[in-house]
Amino acid sequence: MARYRPIQTFLSDFLLPKRKFSLFCPKKPQKLPDHPLLQVKKFSSVMTEVDGNTILAESLKKQGIEYVFGIIGIPVIELSMAMQAAGLKFIGMRNEQSACYAAQAIGYLTGKPGVCLVVSGPGLLHCTGGMANAQINCWPLVVIAGSTSVDHEGIGGFQECPQIELSRPYCKYAARPHSASLIGQHVEKAVRLASYGRPGVSYLDFPGNILQAKVDASAVDYYVHPAPPLSYPEPKSIQEAANLLALAKRPLVIIGKGAAYARAEGAIRKLIQNSNLPFLATPMGKGVVPDTAPQCVASARTLALQKADVILLLGARLNWILHFGRPPRFAGDVKVIQVDLCPEEMHNSILSRVAVQSDILPFAEGLFMKLAQKRFIFNGEKDWWKELKGQCMKNQKTVSQMALDTSTPLNYYAVFHHLQQIIPKDAIIVSEGANTMDIGRSMLHNSLARHRLDAGTFGTMGVGPGFAIAAALFCRDYFPGKKVICVEGDSAFGFSGMEIETMVRYRLPIVIVVVNNGGIYGGFDQESYDTIRSDGDLTQVTPPSALTVETRYENMMGLFNQKGYFVREIPELQKAVQESLTLTDRPTIINVIISPSAVRKQQTFGWLTESKL
């Protein structure tokens, strides 16, 4: 019977023709010749094999990863089960974007990257919005996608796509392990780069044949990195910052979400309380120092930014959120003390007087010590404080009048004022929308760091339900009993509303409040809506900003035989919120109808500082 000659025999015949042998010879086999190409690793008689799915799951577990969010399909079905077998918590979502939003939010809340698992091609492409959001927000995230088997590449493989190249613009690291035995090495690097320095995104690509490949368990190395190191400021820069603040006539501290992520709230609170410096927080910097602290001048934001002569910038960037640090929102001669982990961020929009590359925590501790040595306290009787407090009182009076107007249809301020009175002070607040998010930021207070999640630096709509799912899981595992309030504009809710099923499936007690004005920015009452659409092609007469009038979003709870709430008046809102807060194993939707023409308080400037071009 014919038989195939093994590769070792073929190579030996070719390389060493004078020493022919056969591994299949029935006689005692000859010793293999000493040649580099013929070295064969010896295995014990009992060899334990593991596949790529198991190696990947175990590698993630050893890096301290806890949560995986995703949607499964070929070729990552077995991988999702291997992840659960390894002890990872897998949360199946309804949309890859929402899965990516949830994974990055859990990374922000815990300080450890969340993982987003998706299928090849369209699955990964749906993730890119979330990847960009995490990268620009500076939140740690690891995205893992299956891909077409390598032997199908170039010939039209299933969902074949240049995934590494497409991911790279939104990542700090993007790679594909070339063999199953190298998976651990790449996982370690992906998690490390997502966490170290300025946090961001790592992407790992896994062809189906790599996930299914089996290797000897002894050939697999699992790498574990130490915790990210702290970057300490130069003592000279702390002294310069202290000197500048001590001489300032109109100082201001701006606290960003970088300070929240750095877990620097203890040091910053001590700094603010002892120095009595006025402060503002960026949207997700809220709660690092409580919004109700006497030094908070959020109600006089425009005045504080416009007239400050020295600004201490802690973990915030001079991007569009802070109007680039430029006039007319800021004084032309303002002196900025910029503290950031990333040196490339220094002087990005304006020239900072003092630029400090450092983690926020050691800088805040060092600055507190320097100011304490100077016995520095910014006197509350100074003209700057009088001016700020006067403006705060004036603006608060205007807002209070709008908040106490409970006539129907309701306005934003009335809804948020009465919502604030009922929700727990330590609740995590998720918020997205246009006016819903912006007005809610000023009306819904935070007393703790990392307790507000919103559209962020990228201004991404659709993040709310995913963020809320991550927050609810975080509360369940770390702070049982803490509530999650998800405040959504009706347009924003439409992006990811079906994640309500995910919330029901995992029994997450999220209170969703939809502030419904029937449109993007604003909508129409029923009579106006019908009149506008009464004649002509609906695609040409329906205003682009219009949504259906009074859509009954609360009825989505009926899909699960649960109760939602339809609200027109404040007593109905109060009752609905109180009942919803008692739920411990399911979400609910409170659909609050407000005036389609409800607006925000008149602004001194437009929402964004414009270019001079």
Side-chain angles (χ1 to χ4, degrees):
M1 183 177 74
R3 58 189 179 195
Y4 293 102
R5 298 171 61 189
I7 187 64
Q8 288 92 337
T9 304
F10 172 79
L11 288 173
S12 66
D13 289 351
F14 177 75
L15 296 168
L16 301 167
K18 295 181 180 180
R19 300 183 60 186
K20 294 185 178 180
F21 65 97
S22 172
L23 293 180
F24 289 168
C25 179
K27 298 181 180 179
K28 184 177 179 180
Q30 300 179 24
K31 181 181 178 181
L32 288 174
D34 295 327
H35 191 282
L37 291 177
L38 302 181
Q39 298 304 307
V40 178
K41 185 170 182 178
K42 297 180 180 179
F43 299 97
S44 61
S45 57
V46 179
M47 185 175 67
T48 302
E49 288 188 325
V50 289
D51 64 10
N53 291 310
T54 302
I55 298 169
L56 178 49
E58 292 291 342
S59 297
L60 292 167
K61 182 68 175 178
K62 290 182 185 299
Q63 296 301 327
I65 300 298
E66 294 182 71
Y67 302 92
V68 182
F69 301 83
I71 298 178
I72 66 166
I74 296 171
V76 297
I77 298 171
E78 293 82 4
L79 175 58
S80 64
M81 293 185 284
M83 288 173 164
Q84 289 182 314
L88 299 172
K89 298 176 182 180
F90 186 88
I91 301 92
M93 305 286 284
R94 299 304 301 267
N95 179 281
E96 287 94 354
Q97 281 188 332
S98 290
C100 205
Y101 298 144
Q104 63 194 257
I106 206 74
Y108 174 67
L109 293 169
T110 65
K112 294 180 289 187
V115 170
C116 179
L117 175 66
V118 295
V119 300
S120 50
L124 178 66
L125 287 171
H126 287 173
C127 267
T128 51
M131 294 165 74
N133 190 70
Q135 184 75 355
I136 292 172
N137 258 358
C138 309
W139 287 359
L141 168 70
V142 175
V143 174
I144 294 173
S147 60
T148 190
S149 295
V150 293
D151 56 321
H152 292 173
E153 289 181 343
I155 57 173
F158 175 65
Q159 295 182 333
E160 183 179 353
C161 186
Q163 295 177 184
I164 299 173
E165 292 83 353
L166 288 170
S167 300
R168 193 161 280 125
Y170 315 109
C171 293
K172 295 176 69 177
Y173 178 66
R176 170 194 289 182
H178 287 282
S179 68
S181 60
L182 294 174
I183 289 175
Q185 174 183 325
H186 283 274
V187 168
E188 184 277 333
K189 187 171 183 180
V191 174
R192 174 163 44 87
L193 268 63
S195 307
Y196 277 33
R198 171 170 281 181
V201 184
S202 291
Y203 171 68
L204 291 177
D205 190 76
F206 288 96
N209 57 317
I210 297 294
L211 293 174
Q212 296 161 10
K214 293 184 178 182
V215 297
D216 179 14
S218 64
V220 179
D221 291 319
Y222 295 100
Y223 301 81
V224 180
H225 60 258
L230 278 179
S231 177
Y232 284 81
E234 290 183 313
K236 177 184 175 183
S237 64
I238 298 177
Q239 185 66 62
E240 290 175 347
N243 291 344
L244 204 55
L245 286 168
L247 294 173
K249 293 182 179 180
R250 297 181 302 279
L252 178 67
V253 180
I254 300 179
I255 302 168
K257 70 173 176 289
Y261 182 79
R263 273 66 179 167
E265 56 265 29
I268 294 176
R269 289 183 184 197
K270 189 166 63 171
L271 171 65
I272 295 295
Q273 290 166 1
N274 285 273
S275 67
N276 200 42
L277 288 166
F279 79 91
L280 292 171
T282 64
M284 279 189 277
K286 283 163 55 70
V288 171
V289 182
D291 291 338
T292 54
Q295 295 84 8
C296 181
V297 293
S299 297
R301 184 179 189 268
T302 296
L303 174 69
L305 294 178
Q306 193 174 30
K307 291 193 174 182
D309 61 353
V310 174
I311 290 178
L312 172 60
L313 199 64
L314 295 174
R317 289 170 281 178
L318 291 176
N319 55 21
W320 67 272
I321 292 176
L322 289 175
H323 313 287
F324 315 110
R326 297 175 180 175
R329 293 298 189 112
F330 288 74
D333 59 352
V334 64
K335 301 176 182 67
V336 175
I337 304 164
Q338 187 178 13
V339 187
D340 200 287
L341 183 63
C342 181
E344 290 82 359
E345 190 63 38
M346 303 304 174
H347 317 294
N348 188 51
S349 179
I350 64 171
L351 185 64
S352 299
R353 179 60 64 94
V354 180
V356 187
Q357 182 196 359
S358 173
D359 277 275
I360 302 299
L361 178 58
F363 175 85
E365 292 174 337
L367 182 61
F368 167 76
M369 295 297 295
K370 286 294 182 184
L371 292 178
Q373 290 170 7
K374 291 176 176 288
R375 298 184 178 180
F376 170 80
I377 298 177
F378 190 69
N379 193 333
E381 299 303 317
K382 285 187 176 180
D383 292 342
W384 181 228
W385 260 123
K386 288 182 180 179
E387 194 173 359
L388 288 170
K389 288 184 176 180
Q391 189 65 40
C392 282
M393 291 179 64
K394 179 181 177 181
N395 289 341
Q396 288 168 0
K397 182 179 179 180
T398 302
V399 169
S400 179
Q401 291 173 345
M402 301 174 74
L404 296 177
D405 177 8
T406 59
S407 60
T408 57
L410 297 168
N411 67 73
Y412 286 105
Y413 294 88
V415 171
F416 292 136
H417 171 73
H418 291 89
L419 182 61
Q420 171 64 36
Q421 291 182 325
I422 299 173
I423 62 175
K425 289 183 171 52
D426 68 342
I428 293 180
I429 299 172
V430 180
S431 183
E432 66 169 331
N435 291 332
T436 297
M437 181 176 65
D438 293 341
I439 300 172
R441 179 177 69 243
S442 63
M443 300 291 291
L444 301 175
H445 296 154
N446 292 101
S447 58
L448 298 171
R450 299 172 300 282
H451 277 58
R452 178 182 166 88
L453 302 170
D454 67 21
T457 311
F458 210 31
T460 308
M461 291 295 106
V463 297
F467 282 5
I469 288 168
L473 290 164
F474 172 73
C475 292
R476 174 185 291 178
D477 293 342
Y478 289 90
F479 299 98
K482 186 184 288 288
K483 298 299 182 180
V484 176
I485 314 296
C486 183
V487 184
E488 298 274 307
D490 52 329
S491 172
F493 182 65
F495 282 77
S496 308
M498 269 315 298
E499 295 301 339
I500 188 71
E501 189 275 332
T502 307
M503 300 175 192
V504 170
R505 189 168 8 115
Y506 290 99
R507 300 178 181 174
L508 301 176
I510 298 166
V511 180
I512 299 175
V513 180
V514 179
V515 184
N516 187 349
N517 68 353
I520 302 171
Y521 300 109
F524 298 86
D525 60 66
Q526 191 67 60
E527 182 179 356
S528 300
Y529 187 77
D530 291 342
T531 300
I532 291 170
R533 289 160 46 90
S534 62
D535 185 33
D537 184 342
L538 291 180
T539 63
Q540 295 198 324
V541 299
T542 303
S545 63
L547 300 174
T548 304
V549 178
E550 296 189 0
T551 301
R552 300 297 295 264
Y553 296 105
E554 81 285 355
N555 287 341
M556 292 177 70
M557 295 306 304
L559 298 171
F560 316 103
N561 296 318
Q562 301 295 336
K563 177 184 178 183
Y565 299 86
F566 183 77
V567 167
R568 289 190 187 276
E569 300 180 349
I570 291 301
E572 295 173 333
L573 172 65
Q574 293 170 324
K575 181 181 178 182
V577 174
Q578 288 168 342
E579 289 184 6
S580 299
L581 288 172
T582 65
L583 301 176
T584 59
D585 63 350
R586 63 183 183 274
T588 192
I589 297 174
I590 303 172
N591 185 17
V592 185
I593 303 300
I594 68 168
S595 170
S597 57
V599 295
R600 61 190 301 173
K601 182 177 74 68
Q602 186 173 357
Q603 305 296 300
T604 305
F605 293 97
W607 75 278
L608 180 65
T609 298
E610 297 297 335
S611 169
K612 300 296 183 182
L613 297 177

